Amino acid sequence: MNHSGTKVRCGRTLKNFYMKNLFLFILLLNCFTFTNTGFSQPECGIKVSLITCAPGNELYSTFGHTALRITDSAAGVDNIFNWGTFDFGDPDFYTKFVRGNLDYFLSVEKPDQFLQSYYYEERPIIEQELNLNCKEKIQLYNAVKNNLQGSNKYYRYDFLKDNCTSRVRDLLLTYTPFTVHPNIVNNHTTYRNLIHEYLNAGGKAWEKFGIDLLLGSGMDQKANDLTAMFLPDYLLKGADSSVNFVSKKETILPVTAHYQKTPLWLPFLILSALAVVLMAMGFVKNPVVVTISKLLDSLLFYLVGLLGLFLLFMWFGTSHTLCANNYNLLWALPTHFFAAIFVWRPNRFVQKYFLLASFLHVATIIAWLWIPQELNIALLPVVALLAIKTFRLSAEKRNK
């Protein structure tokens, strides 16, 4: 009886032992399955692409454009997120634009709408699908959606540091394995060199002349592989060079860009011709020619002085940081605006003023290559003309 009872208890104990071990085995098997699922997640239905648009003919489109395309097949969503939007209907648009206080914002467009405008402008578009896992895609998508909320979508535009391309670059650096690889730009490249590449390629001679006049020595700082990605083409190159970052690359708008080009030497040629004519007129003794020459001299000093006053305003009166420290003020003297009147009224003070201005203009020409700002070569005949005119005017006053 006791022995038989012992056998029953032993059988039950053995049965319990097997049941417990079977339970543990199934539990471990399930854990292994769940763990495997965590490492190899199924497709989450989200696709993220970098969109790069080629430069256009208008000045605002000279440097191209960048956007993000996010497709969520589960939600039936396909949107392009564009950080290059501003409100042209703002009643204070022009004031804000000139003062550097214009806010840009993130907007959402459907691909067909986005592509249509670029098709009309004949600007090709390249799409780079990014090789991201589900977690990275979701994090990036959530960050973009958060950027759309309320005041988050607005930002104060800065050409070099905070624009439509740098916004995308910073998101990729924060939420994806995007890494910046060296040799995208060389060690001696400045920001001015980078924008000159686009202006030269587009044949925008006068736009280049104007930008070189307006933007100060901040544009002559050295760019590196990361900061160069304020330009769309350089962000595209950076994405291509980041190992296994781009899974697919294709031209989704295969149109041919046509640029209305101006010869790059044209500003230098025109300004040189004008300078020669004005200098030659100063040597003619005919009374009529002398009077016309005086009128043109007065107009020259008035326009140069007006330019100098405008450059001062852009430096101190606006938030455009790139207009600061502008060495064009070495020759575009704001005081020439007032000196224009005294071309007709000789006196000792005017004599000294023009002599000093002459020395300053000559010094600018001598130091041209050493000034810490690249001055546009088309300005050289203008500065030479100012040097000769101011010296002759100072000598003319001494002879009176």
Side-chain angles (χ1 to χ4, degrees):
M1 188 77 159
N2 290 337
H3 179 70
S4 175
T6 302
K7 283 179 66 177
V8 172
R9 284 196 298 269
C10 287
R12 288 177 180 172
T13 301
L14 189 61
K15 183 179 179 181
N16 289 338
F17 172 80
Y18 284 128
M19 291 298 292
K20 287 179 181 179
N21 279 280
L22 180 61
F23 175 79
L24 287 172
F25 175 77
I26 294 171
L27 183 61
L28 286 172
L29 183 62
N30 285 333
C31 286
F32 177 78
T33 304
F34 294 148
T35 304
N36 249 350
T37 305
F39 281 108
S40 56
Q41 300 174 30
E43 275 298 322
C44 52
I46 297 176
K47 183 177 80 171
V48 179
S49 299
L50 179 64
I51 301 294
T52 304
C53 310
N57 272 310
E58 301 300 326
L59 181 59
Y60 73 87
S61 64
T62 297
F63 307 103
H65 185 53
T66 298
L68 270 183
R69 181 177 186 178
I70 300 180
T71 304
D72 184 353
S73 57
V77 171
D78 187 1
N79 288 326
I80 289 182
F81 296 88
N82 177 10
W83 280 264
T85 319
F86 55 84
D87 184 7
F88 192 75
D90 188 331
D92 297 322
F93 173 82
Y94 290 105
T95 302
K96 290 178 179 178
F97 179 79
V98 172
R99 296 295 299 272
N101 298 325
L102 183 66
D103 284 336
Y104 279 56
F105 59 90
L106 170 60
S107 62
V108 185
E109 297 178 66
K110 293 298 179 185
D112 56 344
Q113 298 171 330
F114 187 84
L115 293 175
Q116 185 176 10
S117 61
Y118 284 89
Y119 178 81
Y120 176 78
E121 296 177 8
E122 298 181 321
R123 297 170 61 185
I125 296 178
I126 294 175
E127 180 175 7
Q128 293 164 291
E129 185 178 341
L130 305 184
N131 184 26
L132 308 177
N133 62 39
C134 275
K135 181 180 178 182
E136 291 160 349
K137 292 175 183 178
I138 292 169
Q139 285 180 334
L140 181 60
Y141 194 14
N142 287 338
V144 172
K145 288 190 286 188
N146 181 62
N147 199 175
L148 270 173
Q149 302 303 311
S151 61
N152 292 349
K153 67 180 180 179
Y154 295 96
Y155 70 99
R156 187 59 48 86
Y157 181 88
D158 184 289
F159 180 60
L160 294 185
K161 298 177 181 177
D162 201 358
N163 64 18
C164 60
T165 301
S166 66
R167 286 257 154 175
V168 175
R169 175 200 66 192
D170 294 345
L171 280 170
L172 296 181
L173 287 170
T174 303
Y175 297 102
T176 75
F178 176 48
T179 54
V180 180
H181 285 259
N183 303 320
I184 295 174
V185 297
N186 67 54
N187 295 331
H188 303 291
T189 300
T190 66
Y191 292 109
R192 196 180 300 274
N193 295 151
L194 291 173
I195 68 169
H196 279 178
E197 286 181 16
Y198 287 79
L199 295 166
N200 292 342
K204 299 190 180 301
W206 290 109
E207 289 87 344
K208 179 181 178 180
F209 178 77
I211 285 174
D212 284 344
L213 267 180
L214 189 61
L215 303 185
S217 59
M219 289 296 294
D220 297 274
Q221 296 176 2
K222 298 288 177 59
N224 58 45
D225 295 313
L226 175 62
T227 58
M229 293 181 196
F230 78 96
L231 290 167
D233 285 339
Y234 282 88
L235 181 56
L236 181 149
K237 292 176 185 176
D240 277 342
S241 67
S242 186
V243 180
N244 296 326
F245 187 63
V246 175
S247 60
K248 183 181 179 182
K249 180 179 179 181
E250 63 178 326
T251 301
I252 59 172
L253 188 59
V255 296
T256 302
H258 296 93
Y259 300 112
Q260 299 169 0
K261 296 186 177 183
T262 301
L264 296 175
W265 44 262
L266 189 61
F268 180 83
L269 179 65
I270 290 176
L271 292 176
S272 295
L274 288 173
V276 169
V277 170
L278 290 175
M279 279 189 280
M281 288 180 69
F283 290 96
V284 178
K285 301 302 181 182
N286 182 285
V288 175
V289 176
V290 169
T291 302
I292 294 174
S293 180
K294 287 283 187 184
L295 284 169
L296 292 176
D297 287 351
S298 184
L299 179 62
L300 172 67
F301 287 111
Y302 172 77
L303 292 176
V304 170
L306 190 63
L307 172 63
L309 290 171
F310 177 69
L311 295 181
L312 277 180
F313 167 74
M314 294 303 294
W315 181 348
F316 295 103
T318 74
S319 300
H320 294 291
T321 56
L322 290 178
C323 294
N325 304 311
N326 195 331
Y327 283 81
N328 281 300
L329 285 162
L330 288 174
W331 64 268
L333 301 176
T335 49
H336 279 351
F337 179 83
F338 308 101
I341 301 172
F342 296 100
V343 169
W344 302 90
R345 300 179 184 178
N347 61 51
R348 188 170 295 275
F349 174 77
V350 171
Q351 167 195 334
K352 292 180 178 178
Y353 171 79
F354 281 120
L355 184 61
L356 179 61
S358 177
F359 284 135
L360 186 54
H361 293 318
V362 170
T364 301
I365 294 171
I366 293 172
W368 194 273
L369 297 178
W370 292 276
I371 294 172
Q373 175 179 328
E374 183 180 343
L375 304 182
N376 194 290
I377 192 65
L379 293 168
L380 196 54
V382 176
V383 182
L385 174 65
L386 288 169
I388 293 171
K389 286 291 184 182
T390 49
F391 182 76
R392 293 199 66 193
L393 285 166
S394 69
E396 182 181 323
K397 304 310 177 189
R398 287 200 300 270
N399 293 333
K400 293 285 182 181

PDB file of all heavy atoms in Angstrom, residues 46-64:
ATOM      1  N   ILE A  46       6.472  52.807 -45.040  1.00  0.00           N
ATOM      2  CA  ILE A  46       6.906  54.195 -45.187  1.00  0.00           C
ATOM      3  C   ILE A  46       8.151  54.244 -46.071  1.00  0.00           C
ATOM      4  O   ILE A  46       9.073  53.462 -45.903  1.00  0.00           O
ATOM      5  CB  ILE A  46       7.207  54.837 -43.815  1.00  0.00           C
ATOM      6  CG1 ILE A  46       5.932  54.876 -42.971  1.00  0.00           C
ATOM      7  CG2 ILE A  46       7.765  56.244 -43.979  1.00  0.00           C
ATOM      8  CD1 ILE A  46       6.148  55.396 -41.550  1.00  0.00           C
ATOM      9  N   LYS A  47       8.159  55.183 -47.008  1.00  0.00           N
ATOM     10  CA  LYS A  47       9.313  55.409 -47.868  1.00  0.00           C
ATOM     11  C   LYS A  47       9.703  56.879 -47.766  1.00  0.00           C
ATOM     12  O   LYS A  47       8.854  57.768 -47.849  1.00  0.00           O
ATOM     13  CB  LYS A  47       8.988  55.048 -49.323  1.00  0.00           C
ATOM     14  CG  LYS A  47      10.171  55.180 -50.270  1.00  0.00           C
ATOM     15  CD  LYS A  47       9.823  54.748 -51.684  1.00  0.00           C
ATOM     16  CE  LYS A  47       9.089  55.850 -52.416  1.00  0.00           C
ATOM     17  NZ  LYS A  47       8.917  55.547 -53.862  1.00  0.00           N
ATOM     18  N   VAL A  48      10.991  57.128 -47.570  1.00  0.00           N
ATOM     19  CA  VAL A  48      11.499  58.502 -47.437  1.00  0.00           C
ATOM     20  C   VAL A  48      12.488  58.767 -48.563  1.00  0.00           C
ATOM     21  O   VAL A  48      13.394  57.972 -48.806  1.00  0.00           O
ATOM     22  CB  VAL A  48      12.186  58.720 -46.077  1.00  0.00           C
ATOM     23  CG1 VAL A  48      12.721  60.155 -45.974  1.00  0.00           C
ATOM     24  CG2 VAL A  48      11.225  58.436 -44.929  1.00  0.00           C
ATOM     25  N   SER A  49      12.306  59.885 -49.257  1.00  0.00           N
ATOM     26  CA  SER A  49      13.192  60.236 -50.371  1.00  0.00           C
ATOM     27  C   SER A  49      13.653  61.683 -50.254  1.00  0.00           C
ATOM     28  O   SER A  49      12.899  62.561 -49.815  1.00  0.00           O
ATOM     29  CB  SER A  49      12.486  60.057 -51.712  1.00  0.00           C
ATOM     30  OG  SER A  49      12.102  58.718 -51.898  1.00  0.00           O
ATOM     31  N   LEU A  50      14.882  61.915 -50.685  1.00  0.00           N
ATOM     32  CA  LEU A  50      15.435  63.258 -50.799  1.00  0.00           C
ATOM     33  C   LEU A  50      15.175  63.751 -52.218  1.00  0.00           C
ATOM     34  O   LEU A  50      15.517  63.067 -53.190  1.00  0.00           O
ATOM     35  CB  LEU A  50      16.935  63.241 -50.504  1.00  0.00           C
ATOM     36  CG  LEU A  50      17.686  64.568 -50.600  1.00  0.00           C
ATOM     37  CD1 LEU A  50      17.184  65.551 -49.558  1.00  0.00           C
ATOM     38  CD2 LEU A  50      19.191  64.343 -50.431  1.00  0.00           C
ATOM     39  N   ILE A  51      14.556  64.916 -52.331  1.00  0.00           N
ATOM     40  CA  ILE A  51      14.208  65.494 -53.629  1.00  0.00           C
ATOM     41  C   ILE A  51      15.135  66.675 -53.906  1.00  0.00           C
ATOM     42  O   ILE A  51      15.236  67.602 -53.094  1.00  0.00           O
ATOM     43  CB  ILE A  51      12.744  65.980 -53.645  1.00  0.00           C
ATOM     44  CG1 ILE A  51      11.783  64.819 -53.344  1.00  0.00           C
ATOM     45  CG2 ILE A  51      12.406  66.645 -54.968  1.00  0.00           C
ATOM     46  CD1 ILE A  51      11.758  63.745 -54.398  1.00  0.00           C
ATOM     47  N   THR A  52      15.817  66.639 -55.047  1.00  0.00           N
ATOM     48  CA  THR A  52      16.713  67.729 -55.425  1.00  0.00           C
ATOM     49  C   THR A  52      16.287  68.280 -56.780  1.00  0.00           C
ATOM     50  O   THR A  52      16.226  67.550 -57.771  1.00  0.00           O
ATOM     51  CB  THR A  52      18.176  67.249 -55.503  1.00  0.00           C
ATOM     52  OG1 THR A  52      18.542  66.664 -54.250  1.00  0.00           O
ATOM     53  CG2 THR A  52      19.111  68.406 -55.810  1.00  0.00           C
ATOM     54  N   CYS A  53      15.991  69.578 -56.800  1.00  0.00           N
ATOM     55  CA  CYS A  53      15.521  70.248 -58.018  1.00  0.00           C
ATOM     56  C   CYS A  53      16.645  71.084 -58.624  1.00  0.00           C
ATOM     57  O   CYS A  53      17.367  71.779 -57.908  1.00  0.00           O
ATOM     58  CB  CYS A  53      14.331  71.152 -57.700  1.00  0.00           C
ATOM     59  SG  CYS A  53      13.034  70.328 -56.746  1.00  0.00           S
ATOM     60  N   ALA A  54      16.794  71.023 -59.923  1.00  0.00           N
ATOM     61  CA  ALA A  54      17.864  71.739 -60.613  1.00  0.00           C
ATOM     62  C   ALA A  54      17.614  73.244 -60.576  1.00  0.00           C
ATOM     63  O   ALA A  54      16.482  73.699 -60.383  1.00  0.00           O
ATOM     64  CB  ALA A  54      17.953  71.254 -62.057  1.00  0.00           C
ATOM     65  N   PRO A  55      18.665  74.035 -60.748  1.00  0.00           N
ATOM     66  CA  PRO A  55      18.514  75.496 -60.798  1.00  0.00           C
ATOM     67  C   PRO A  55      17.611  75.930 -61.953  1.00  0.00           C
ATOM     68  O   PRO A  55      17.458  75.218 -62.952  1.00  0.00           O
ATOM     69  CB  PRO A  55      19.946  75.995 -61.008  1.00  0.00           C
ATOM     70  CG  PRO A  55      20.813  74.905 -60.489  1.00  0.00           C
ATOM     71  CD  PRO A  55      20.079  73.632 -60.803  1.00  0.00           C
ATOM     72  N   GLY A  56      17.031  77.131 -61.792  1.00  0.00           N
ATOM     73  CA  GLY A  56      16.174  77.689 -62.833  1.00  0.00           C
ATOM     74  C   GLY A  56      16.727  78.993 -63.364  1.00  0.00           C
ATOM     75  O   GLY A  56      17.839  79.407 -63.022  1.00  0.00           O
ATOM     76  N   ASN A  57      15.941  79.683 -64.184  1.00  0.00           N
ATOM     77  CA  ASN A  57      16.387  80.928 -64.816  1.00  0.00           C
ATOM     78  C   ASN A  57      16.258  82.138 -63.908  1.00  0.00           C
ATOM     79  O   ASN A  57      17.044  83.078 -63.998  1.00  0.00           O
ATOM     80  CB  ASN A  57      15.593  81.180 -66.103  1.00  0.00           C
ATOM     81  CG  ASN A  57      16.233  80.509 -67.303  1.00  0.00           C
ATOM     82  OD1 ASN A  57      17.428  80.657 -67.540  1.00  0.00           O
ATOM     83  ND2 ASN A  57      15.452  79.744 -68.044  1.00  0.00           N
ATOM     84  N   GLU A  58      15.258  82.130 -63.022  1.00  0.00           N
ATOM     85  CA  GLU A  58      15.054  83.269 -62.138  1.00  0.00           C
ATOM     86  C   GLU A  58      16.106  83.276 -61.029  1.00  0.00           C
ATOM     87  O   GLU A  58      16.598  82.219 -60.624  1.00  0.00           O
ATOM     88  CB  GLU A  58      13.651  83.226 -61.523  1.00  0.00           C
ATOM     89  CG  GLU A  58      12.526  83.233 -62.545  1.00  0.00           C
ATOM     90  CD  GLU A  58      12.531  84.465 -63.431  1.00  0.00           C
ATOM     91  OE1 GLU A  58      12.909  85.548 -62.933  1.00  0.00           O
ATOM     92  OE2 GLU A  58      12.190  84.358 -64.617  1.00  0.00           O
ATOM     93  N   LEU A  59      16.412  84.475 -60.507  1.00  0.00           N
ATOM     94  CA  LEU A  59      17.457  84.598 -59.492  1.00  0.00           C
ATOM     95  C   LEU A  59      17.132  83.764 -58.257  1.00  0.00           C
ATOM     96  O   LEU A  59      18.014  83.111 -57.683  1.00  0.00           O
ATOM     97  CB  LEU A  59      17.653  86.067 -59.099  1.00  0.00           C
ATOM     98  CG  LEU A  59      18.733  86.342 -58.054  1.00  0.00           C
ATOM     99  CD1 LEU A  59      20.094  85.840 -58.536  1.00  0.00           C
ATOM    100  CD2 LEU A  59      18.803  87.826 -57.726  1.00  0.00           C
ATOM    101  N   TYR A  60      15.846  83.760 -57.833  1.00  0.00           N
ATOM    102  CA  TYR A  60      15.466  83.015 -56.628  1.00  0.00           C
ATOM    103  C   TYR A  60      15.658  81.511 -56.799  1.00  0.00           C
ATOM    104  O   TYR A  60      15.778  80.776 -55.813  1.00  0.00           O
ATOM    105  CB  TYR A  60      14.004  83.315 -56.239  1.00  0.00           C
ATOM    106  CG  TYR A  60      12.975  82.683 -57.145  1.00  0.00           C
ATOM    107  CD1 TYR A  60      12.524  81.388 -56.911  1.00  0.00           C
ATOM    108  CD2 TYR A  60      12.462  83.375 -58.224  1.00  0.00           C
ATOM    109  CE1 TYR A  60      11.584  80.799 -57.750  1.00  0.00           C
ATOM    110  CE2 TYR A  60      11.530  82.795 -59.068  1.00  0.00           C
ATOM    111  CZ  TYR A  60      11.096  81.515 -58.822  1.00  0.00           C
ATOM    112  OH  TYR A  60      10.161  80.936 -59.656  1.00  0.00           O
ATOM    113  N   SER A  61      15.702  81.052 -58.071  1.00  0.00           N
ATOM    114  CA  SER A  61      15.838  79.614 -58.327  1.00  0.00           C
ATOM    115  C   SER A  61      17.232  79.232 -58.815  1.00  0.00           C
ATOM    116  O   SER A  61      17.455  78.088 -59.208  1.00  0.00           O
ATOM    117  CB  SER A  61      14.793  79.170 -59.356  1.00  0.00           C
ATOM    118  OG  SER A  61      15.026  79.799 -60.606  1.00  0.00           O
ATOM    119  N   THR A  62      18.167  80.172 -58.765  1.00  0.00           N
ATOM    120  CA  THR A  62      19.503  79.954 -59.325  1.00  0.00           C
ATOM    121  C   THR A  62      20.250  78.812 -58.648  1.00  0.00           C
ATOM    122  O   THR A  62      21.060  78.130 -59.282  1.00  0.00           O
ATOM    123  CB  THR A  62      20.337  81.246 -59.205  1.00  0.00           C
ATOM    124  OG1 THR A  62      19.708  82.271 -59.979  1.00  0.00           O
ATOM    125  CG2 THR A  62      21.756  81.050 -59.693  1.00  0.00           C
ATOM    126  N   PHE A  63      19.976  78.592 -57.363  1.00  0.00           N
ATOM    127  CA  PHE A  63      20.764  77.620 -56.602  1.00  0.00           C
ATOM    128  C   PHE A  63      20.041  76.294 -56.391  1.00  0.00           C
ATOM    129  O   PHE A  63      20.496  75.445 -55.635  1.00  0.00           O
ATOM    130  CB  PHE A  63      21.164  78.244 -55.258  1.00  0.00           C
ATOM    131  CG  PHE A  63      21.846  79.579 -55.428  1.00  0.00           C
ATOM    132  CD1 PHE A  63      21.158  80.751 -55.191  1.00  0.00           C
ATOM    133  CD2 PHE A  63      23.151  79.643 -55.865  1.00  0.00           C
ATOM    134  CE1 PHE A  63      21.775  81.986 -55.378  1.00  0.00           C
ATOM    135  CE2 PHE A  63      23.787  80.861 -56.050  1.00  0.00           C
ATOM    136  CZ  PHE A  63      23.093  82.039 -55.808  1.00  0.00           C
ATOM    137  N   GLY A  64      18.903  76.112 -57.067  1.00  0.00           N
ATOM    138  CA  GLY A  64      18.172  74.855 -56.944  1.00  0.00           C
ATOM    139  C   GLY A  64      17.303  74.814 -55.699  1.00  0.00           C
ATOM    140  O   GLY A  64      17.117  75.822 -55.006  1.00  0.00           O
TER     141      GLY A  64
END
